Amino acid sequence: MPGITIDGNNYEAAEGTTLMEVARREGLPISSVCYSDHLQSYGSCRLCVVQVEGQRALSAACTTVVREGMVVETGTPEVRRIRRTLLELYLSENAGQYRPGGSAHAELNDLATEYEASPLRFQGERHTVRQATVDNTGPYFSFDSSLCILCARCVRACDEVQGQNVLHLEGRGFSTRVVADPGTFDASACVTCGACVKECPTGALSDKRVLEQSQRPLPAHETPDRTVRTTCAYCGVGCQFEAQVSGNRIIRMYPVDDSPVNMGHACVKGRYAFDYVRHPDRLTRPLIRQSEKPGDFREGSWDEVVALIASRFTKLLESNGPDAVACISSSRGTNEENYLMQKFTRICLGNNHIDNCARVCHSSTVAGMQEVFGTGAATNSLADIESTRLILAVGCNPTEAHPVVGARIKRAVRRGTKLIVIDPRKIELTRYADVHLQLRPGTNVAVLNGLANVIISEGLADERFIAERTENYDAYRETVAAYTPESVEEISGVPADLLRRAARLYATSGASMAYHGLGVTEHLTGSYGVMALADLAILTGNVGRPGTGINPLRGQNNVQGSCDVGALPNVLTAYQKPSDPDVRARFEAEWRWPVPQQPGWKIPEMWEAALAGKLKAMWIMGYDAAQTEPNTDLVRGALANLDFLVVSDLFLSETALLAHVVLPASGALEKDGTFTNGERRVQRVRRVVDPPGEALSDAEAICEVAAAMGKPMLHRDPSEIMDEIARLTPSLAGISYERLEDGGLQWPVPVTHEVSNHPGTAILHTDRFPRGLARFAPVEYVPPGEEPDERYPLVLITGRVLQHYNAGTMTRRTRLGEVVDRDLLEVHPDDAQLYGLKDHCQARVESRRGSVCLTVRVSERVAPGTAFTSFHFPEAQVNTLLSSSADVITRCPEYKVLAVRATPLRLRYDWRGIK
């Protein structure tokens, strides 16, 4: 490495490193306003000029590459004079104005103070040529051109970080200005990720909430006083934020730069949609139903409701046996809360009737990957997006459902990474894809088997990997032999030539990495689809190495963790079987109560038991089953048939309205604990603000009820719960709050005689699989649970949109509820013409189970014969259309294939605010 001298001190730097990169690494004060660690060097502001020995002209540190023996001075009088002059030019450019708190670092203002620069030394034509404008059309930030110095960091952030290309520099000379194409933010393709705001050094781009606080002086006791680092409570990416707090109010969520997950980036939900925390709809006191009428509540005290729950549960168990009560845990809750809920079910209720809402999204992933690999978690890290040579995106829409991952994928493609998209819709990533396989919904298994057929028939399989690390290959090869490209085209509609091209790309890239989502798992054959995807990986040796593997994109913030800590009916923590005597003995010694062996009910089986009168009571934690479960009329009937229903939640959800007792819960920003993201990274969740009123964390509520039932759980702090989890779980044994303070750890984190501070495991299956050899799982294509016919000719797919999250419980109570205020029905222009549907009109959508009314959007994103809608608004009641068809192994519902018809309503509605 070249050795260089800066200000008399010696440093080493890698080949190709710039002086600015060395300075930032070593904490040396080289000024700049156009430079950012997140962006490519631009070299426009010239504030970073330094004196290099042997050169007459000053050099820009951000573009000067180090060389052996280079001697650099960063603060000579000449250098400081030039920087001061440049700063005065920039300050004159924005008339010496500065917007307090507008940008994250107040860079220009700080530099002006440091160099004692005069803000109005230079004035001229600029103020008569460029008209100052303010764009307040975006929901969360505004742009004031009078403060802009044209450093272009916002333009480059939009391009290089988010890949959205919304901002541009327009004009020349003094007329140059930053514009959002085609003119304003609300009319543009802006996704409100905030990357531009984060980069702005002057406050020209400013968070509206920060502006509101700066313009309205706070009481002395609410002066901004602290910053708390925590983990996002939306999707399973697990972005890290610093919450900036004033008193008990969150002012801003600032994405942190040192997180390996989001690297300083964020999406609109994580960065801005936290208004729900103090929404007036929040539950603040326990509620008790006072009549037979659902929703007829009175307020109660915690002592009263705890005694009531304990008494009712105990009596129902005594009179009806251990099957009388069941629990549903939450993928929104912390690991510690999910662990306590499954512990409560097993020792207080005496059964294994515990499940969580991962059942309806990624239970198929766990089953499918366990069958092939022996474990059901992501094989690689998000960081591997930077090293992979090909990304296979199957049944996922990352730019909307997992936007930070979506942005990373777009950046990878721009660097040269190949991309294959397998999806029935033309999602945003299809614009970047080398190949888009637009298959018919429900034909994933056929397409994946077809890829394998091409790979084997053309001699592209990794024979050495197959021989050394797999078994059951002959049976697999025999199965996929029938899935020729031409036969797959008949089943799926994917052209045979495109299938061949995709197979060759995947097999020959050298490092192919697969991401999949609910478009794979939420099918009648969801587990089979995951098996077929895992088979493809071991067929080509794309597992156990950087930039390879099978990586599910988890839908909720703690889908992975809620399953890892045992909130499932057939396993304990880390998928240990309660039927194993050694496992059971270890848990019974820790818990001091018997652990039941018989597997419990999955969520769909709970509804069946409730309708049959066998299940008498439930405790549902943080899950709006009455809105999000398929065939919601059936689910509502099951809930109504219970003798006693307890619901813990932030708001009075559709499920809570049916409850006998509603417990006010704390949100993720109001409690301590951990989440585990989709790459198996356990990260700290920290209390940022106090919960409203008498709301408690679910952990506190569970402990109160357990104590009232005579089986106390003596946990004073969430860290003690994690310590107990670690004692019982070999793969989590090395995890503690102390070790998580400076960042997350990816399990397995074992503890052995040789290693007590294991660094975590970034890549699984490098040497061996948990089951020894990976086992090929040959699976056949099976048609979906229902298919279109003359009466119901359209196939409806359900999914998410960028602005909302799941049932919209949180996002609908933020400004995003104004940006997108309803679920839409996307139909292809050919179908719109065929069925008399028009853009913006209302349509009645009918299935074999019910009907709903939705606003139509005519779009070529869907293929003829298919339609798409989201499920974020309870008034739409989209899930009433769904059948009870589910994955044959896990009972994960088939949300993605639904036969419907759509007919126009005479009444037309305006849909202002919908994009």
Side-chain angles (χ1 to χ4, degrees), residues 99-135:
R99 177 172 282 176
S103 64
H105 303 293
E107 296 171 47
L108 185 64
N109 190 58
D110 290 345
L111 288 171
T113 302
E114 178 185 349
Y115 284 88
E116 299 179 345
S118 170
L120 299 175
R121 181 178 170 194
F122 300 102
Q123 293 290 303
E125 187 180 355
R126 166 252 186 258
H127 296 294
T128 61
V129 174
R130 188 195 307 164
Q131 296 298 314
T133 58
V134 177
D135 184 351

Short mmCIF file of all heavy atoms in Angstrom, two decimals, residues 99-135:
data_model
loop_
_atom_site.label_atom_id
_atom_site.label_comp_id
_atom_site.label_asym_id
_atom_site.label_seq_id
_atom_site.Cartn_x
_atom_site.Cartn_y
_atom_site.Cartn_z
N ARG A 99 -31.24 27.67 7.08
CA ARG A 99 -32.46 27.17 7.69
C ARG A 99 -32.10 26.28 8.88
O ARG A 99 -31.52 25.22 8.69
CB ARG A 99 -33.26 26.39 6.65
CG ARG A 99 -34.53 25.75 7.20
CD ARG A 99 -35.38 25.18 6.09
NE ARG A 99 -36.10 26.23 5.40
CZ ARG A 99 -36.87 26.02 4.33
NH1 ARG A 99 -36.97 24.81 3.84
NH2 ARG A 99 -37.51 27.02 3.75
N PRO A 100 -32.42 26.68 10.09
CA PRO A 100 -32.02 25.90 11.27
C PRO A 100 -32.57 24.48 11.23
O PRO A 100 -33.76 24.28 11.03
CB PRO A 100 -32.62 26.69 12.43
CG PRO A 100 -32.86 28.06 11.89
CD PRO A 100 -33.17 27.88 10.43
N GLY A 101 -31.69 23.53 11.42
CA GLY A 101 -32.12 22.14 11.50
C GLY A 101 -32.52 21.53 10.19
O GLY A 101 -32.95 20.40 10.12
N GLY A 102 -32.39 22.26 9.10
CA GLY A 102 -32.86 21.77 7.82
C GLY A 102 -32.08 20.57 7.32
O GLY A 102 -32.64 19.64 6.77
N SER A 103 -30.78 20.58 7.47
CA SER A 103 -29.98 19.46 7.03
C SER A 103 -29.40 18.75 8.24
O SER A 103 -29.36 19.28 9.33
CB SER A 103 -28.85 19.92 6.10
OG SER A 103 -27.96 20.76 6.80
N ALA A 104 -28.93 17.55 7.98
CA ALA A 104 -28.51 16.72 9.10
C ALA A 104 -27.28 17.28 9.81
O ALA A 104 -27.15 17.18 11.01
CB ALA A 104 -28.23 15.31 8.60
N HIS A 105 -26.37 17.85 9.06
CA HIS A 105 -25.10 18.25 9.65
C HIS A 105 -24.85 19.76 9.65
O HIS A 105 -23.85 20.22 10.17
CB HIS A 105 -23.96 17.57 8.90
CG HIS A 105 -24.08 16.08 8.88
ND1 HIS A 105 -23.96 15.31 10.01
CD2 HIS A 105 -24.34 15.22 7.88
CE1 HIS A 105 -24.12 14.03 9.70
NE2 HIS A 105 -24.36 13.95 8.41
N ALA A 106 -25.75 20.55 9.05
CA ALA A 106 -25.59 22.00 8.99
C ALA A 106 -24.20 22.36 8.47
O ALA A 106 -23.52 23.21 9.02
CB ALA A 106 -25.83 22.62 10.38
N GLU A 107 -23.80 21.68 7.40
CA GLU A 107 -22.41 21.75 6.96
C GLU A 107 -21.98 23.15 6.54
O GLU A 107 -20.93 23.65 6.96
CB GLU A 107 -22.19 20.76 5.82
CG GLU A 107 -22.39 19.32 6.23
CD GLU A 107 -22.40 18.38 5.04
OE1 GLU A 107 -21.51 18.50 4.18
OE2 GLU A 107 -23.30 17.53 4.96
N LEU A 108 -22.76 23.80 5.69
CA LEU A 108 -22.35 25.11 5.18
C LEU A 108 -22.26 26.12 6.31
O LEU A 108 -21.30 26.91 6.38
CB LEU A 108 -23.34 25.58 4.11
CG LEU A 108 -22.95 26.90 3.41
CD1 LEU A 108 -21.66 26.73 2.63
CD2 LEU A 108 -24.08 27.37 2.50
N ASN A 109 -23.22 26.10 7.19
CA ASN A 109 -23.22 27.03 8.32
C ASN A 109 -22.00 26.82 9.22
O ASN A 109 -21.35 27.76 9.65
CB ASN A 109 -24.51 26.87 9.12
CG ASN A 109 -24.69 27.96 10.15
OD1 ASN A 109 -24.72 29.13 9.82
ND2 ASN A 109 -24.80 27.55 11.40
N ASP A 110 -21.69 25.55 9.50
CA ASP A 110 -20.55 25.25 10.36
C ASP A 110 -19.24 25.70 9.72
O ASP A 110 -18.34 26.23 10.39
CB ASP A 110 -20.49 23.75 10.65
CG ASP A 110 -21.64 23.30 11.55
OD1 ASP A 110 -22.28 24.17 12.16
OD2 ASP A 110 -21.89 22.09 11.62
N LEU A 111 -19.11 25.48 8.42
CA LEU A 111 -17.90 25.89 7.72
C LEU A 111 -17.75 27.41 7.69
O LEU A 111 -16.65 27.95 7.84
CB LEU A 111 -17.90 25.33 6.29
CG LEU A 111 -17.66 23.83 6.16
CD1 LEU A 111 -17.91 23.37 4.73
CD2 LEU A 111 -16.24 23.48 6.59
N ALA A 112 -18.88 28.11 7.50
CA ALA A 112 -18.83 29.57 7.50
C ALA A 112 -18.34 30.10 8.84
O ALA A 112 -17.56 31.05 8.91
CB ALA A 112 -20.20 30.13 7.16
N THR A 113 -18.80 29.47 9.91
CA THR A 113 -18.35 29.87 11.25
C THR A 113 -16.87 29.58 11.43
O THR A 113 -16.11 30.41 11.96
CB THR A 113 -19.17 29.13 12.32
OG1 THR A 113 -20.57 29.44 12.14
CG2 THR A 113 -18.75 29.54 13.71
N GLU A 114 -16.45 28.41 11.00
CA GLU A 114 -15.06 28.01 11.17
C GLU A 114 -14.10 28.95 10.43
O GLU A 114 -13.04 29.31 10.96
CB GLU A 114 -14.87 26.58 10.66
CG GLU A 114 -13.44 26.08 10.74
CD GLU A 114 -13.26 24.70 10.11
OE1 GLU A 114 -14.27 24.04 9.80
OE2 GLU A 114 -12.09 24.30 9.91
N TYR A 115 -14.49 29.37 9.24
CA TYR A 115 -13.59 30.20 8.42
C TYR A 115 -13.90 31.70 8.51
O TYR A 115 -13.28 32.49 7.81
CB TYR A 115 -13.66 29.75 6.95
CG TYR A 115 -12.91 28.46 6.70
CD1 TYR A 115 -13.54 27.23 6.87
CD2 TYR A 115 -11.58 28.46 6.33
CE1 TYR A 115 -12.87 26.04 6.66
CE2 TYR A 115 -10.89 27.28 6.11
CZ TYR A 115 -11.53 26.07 6.28
OH TYR A 115 -10.85 24.88 6.07
N GLU A 116 -14.85 32.06 9.37
CA GLU A 116 -15.24 33.47 9.56
C GLU A 116 -15.56 34.13 8.23
O GLU A 116 -15.12 35.24 7.92
CB GLU A 116 -14.12 34.23 10.29
CG GLU A 116 -13.82 33.67 11.68
CD GLU A 116 -12.70 34.44 12.37
OE1 GLU A 116 -11.98 35.19 11.69
OE2 GLU A 116 -12.55 34.29 13.59
N ALA A 117 -16.36 33.42 7.43
CA ALA A 117 -16.69 33.91 6.10
C ALA A 117 -17.83 34.92 6.17
O ALA A 117 -18.78 34.76 6.94
CB ALA A 117 -17.09 32.74 5.22
N SER A 118 -17.74 35.96 5.35
CA SER A 118 -18.78 36.98 5.27
C SER A 118 -19.90 36.50 4.35
O SER A 118 -19.63 36.15 3.20
CB SER A 118 -18.21 38.29 4.73
OG SER A 118 -19.26 39.20 4.45
N PRO A 119 -21.13 36.49 4.81
CA PRO A 119 -22.19 35.90 4.00
C PRO A 119 -22.63 36.75 2.81
O PRO A 119 -23.26 36.23 1.91
CB PRO A 119 -23.33 35.74 5.00
CG PRO A 119 -23.10 36.77 6.03
CD PRO A 119 -21.61 36.89 6.14
N LEU A 120 -22.32 38.06 2.82
CA LEU A 120 -22.85 38.92 1.76
C LEU A 120 -21.74 39.66 1.01
O LEU A 120 -21.97 40.74 0.46
CB LEU A 120 -23.85 39.92 2.34
CG LEU A 120 -25.08 39.30 3.02
CD1 LEU A 120 -25.94 40.39 3.67
CD2 LEU A 120 -25.91 38.52 2.01
N ARG A 121 -20.56 39.09 0.99
CA ARG A 121 -19.46 39.78 0.32
C ARG A 121 -19.67 39.89 -1.19
O ARG A 121 -19.31 40.88 -1.82
CB ARG A 121 -18.16 39.03 0.60
CG ARG A 121 -16.94 39.67 -0.04
CD ARG A 121 -15.68 38.91 0.31
NE ARG A 121 -14.54 39.35 -0.47
CZ ARG A 121 -13.40 38.70 -0.56
NH1 ARG A 121 -13.24 37.55 0.12
NH2 ARG A 121 -12.42 39.14 -1.28
N PHE A 122 -20.24 38.84 -1.79
CA PHE A 122 -20.46 38.84 -3.24
C PHE A 122 -21.96 38.84 -3.53
O PHE A 122 -22.69 37.98 -3.07
CB PHE A 122 -19.83 37.59 -3.87
CG PHE A 122 -18.35 37.48 -3.67
CD1 PHE A 122 -17.83 36.62 -2.72
CD2 PHE A 122 -17.47 38.24 -4.43
CE1 PHE A 122 -16.46 36.51 -2.53
CE2 PHE A 122 -16.11 38.14 -4.23
CZ PHE A 122 -15.59 37.28 -3.29
N GLN A 123 -22.38 39.81 -4.29
CA GLN A 123 -23.77 39.86 -4.74
C GLN A 123 -23.74 40.18 -6.23
O GLN A 123 -22.81 40.82 -6.72
CB GLN A 123 -24.56 40.94 -4.01
CG GLN A 123 -24.76 40.64 -2.54
CD GLN A 123 -25.72 39.49 -2.31
OE1 GLN A 123 -26.84 39.54 -2.77
NE2 GLN A 123 -25.26 38.47 -1.63
N GLY A 124 -24.75 39.75 -6.95
CA GLY A 124 -24.71 40.04 -8.38
C GLY A 124 -25.92 39.56 -9.11
O GLY A 124 -27.02 39.48 -8.57
N GLU A 125 -25.66 39.20 -10.36
CA GLU A 125 -26.73 38.90 -11.30
C GLU A 125 -27.61 37.73 -10.85
O GLU A 125 -28.77 37.66 -11.20
CB GLU A 125 -26.12 38.58 -12.67
CG GLU A 125 -27.14 38.40 -13.77
CD GLU A 125 -26.48 38.08 -15.10
OE1 GLU A 125 -25.24 38.10 -15.17
OE2 GLU A 125 -27.21 37.81 -16.06
N ARG A 126 -27.05 36.82 -10.10
CA ARG A 126 -27.76 35.63 -9.68
C ARG A 126 -29.14 35.93 -9.11
O ARG A 126 -30.12 35.26 -9.40
CB ARG A 126 -26.92 34.86 -8.65
CG ARG A 126 -27.69 33.77 -7.88
CD ARG A 126 -27.91 34.24 -6.45
NE ARG A 126 -28.51 33.17 -5.67
CZ ARG A 126 -29.79 33.15 -5.36
NH1 ARG A 126 -30.60 34.09 -5.79
NH2 ARG A 126 -30.27 32.18 -4.61
N HIS A 127 -29.28 37.00 -8.32
CA HIS A 127 -30.54 37.27 -7.63
C HIS A 127 -31.59 37.86 -8.56
O HIS A 127 -32.76 37.88 -8.23
CB HIS A 127 -30.30 38.21 -6.45
CG HIS A 127 -29.42 37.58 -5.40
ND1 HIS A 127 -29.80 36.50 -4.66
CD2 HIS A 127 -28.15 37.88 -5.01
CE1 HIS A 127 -28.82 36.15 -3.84
NE2 HIS A 127 -27.82 36.97 -4.04
N THR A 128 -31.19 38.35 -9.72
CA THR A 128 -32.18 38.87 -10.66
C THR A 128 -32.54 37.86 -11.73
O THR A 128 -33.58 37.95 -12.35
CB THR A 128 -31.64 40.15 -11.34
OG1 THR A 128 -30.44 39.81 -12.07
CG2 THR A 128 -31.33 41.21 -10.32
N VAL A 129 -31.66 36.86 -11.94
CA VAL A 129 -31.91 35.88 -12.99
C VAL A 129 -32.67 34.68 -12.47
O VAL A 129 -33.66 34.25 -13.05
CB VAL A 129 -30.57 35.43 -13.63
CG1 VAL A 129 -30.82 34.30 -14.63
CG2 VAL A 129 -29.90 36.60 -14.31
N ARG A 130 -32.23 34.11 -11.33
CA ARG A 130 -32.87 32.90 -10.80
C ARG A 130 -33.95 33.28 -9.81
O ARG A 130 -33.70 33.92 -8.80
CB ARG A 130 -31.84 32.01 -10.12
CG ARG A 130 -32.44 30.65 -9.73
CD ARG A 130 -31.57 29.90 -8.76
NE ARG A 130 -30.21 29.77 -9.25
CZ ARG A 130 -29.19 29.43 -8.46
NH1 ARG A 130 -29.40 29.22 -7.17
NH2 ARG A 130 -27.98 29.31 -8.95
N GLN A 131 -35.17 32.88 -10.11
CA GLN A 131 -36.29 33.17 -9.23
C GLN A 131 -36.37 32.11 -8.11
O GLN A 131 -36.37 30.92 -8.38
CB GLN A 131 -37.60 33.18 -10.02
CG GLN A 131 -37.67 34.28 -11.08
CD GLN A 131 -37.60 35.66 -10.46
OE1 GLN A 131 -38.28 35.94 -9.48
NE2 GLN A 131 -36.79 36.53 -11.03
N ALA A 132 -36.40 32.58 -6.89
CA ALA A 132 -36.51 31.66 -5.76
C ALA A 132 -37.89 31.02 -5.75
O ALA A 132 -38.90 31.69 -5.92
CB ALA A 132 -36.26 32.40 -4.46
N THR A 133 -37.91 29.71 -5.56
CA THR A 133 -39.17 28.98 -5.49
C THR A 133 -39.14 28.03 -4.30
O THR A 133 -38.07 27.59 -3.86
CB THR A 133 -39.41 28.14 -6.77
OG1 THR A 133 -38.32 27.23 -6.94
CG2 THR A 133 -39.53 29.04 -7.99
N VAL A 134 -40.32 27.72 -3.80
CA VAL A 134 -40.46 26.75 -2.71
C VAL A 134 -41.43 25.68 -3.17
O VAL A 134 -42.54 25.98 -3.60
CB VAL A 134 -40.98 27.42 -1.43
CG1 VAL A 134 -41.20 26.37 -0.34
CG2 VAL A 134 -40.01 28.48 -0.95
N ASP A 135 -40.97 24.41 -3.11
CA ASP A 135 -41.82 23.28 -3.49
C ASP A 135 -42.20 22.52 -2.22
O ASP A 135 -41.39 21.84 -1.61
CB ASP A 135 -41.05 22.36 -4.45
CG ASP A 135 -41.91 21.20 -4.96
OD1 ASP A 135 -43.02 21.02 -4.45
OD2 ASP A 135 -41.45 20.50 -5.87
#
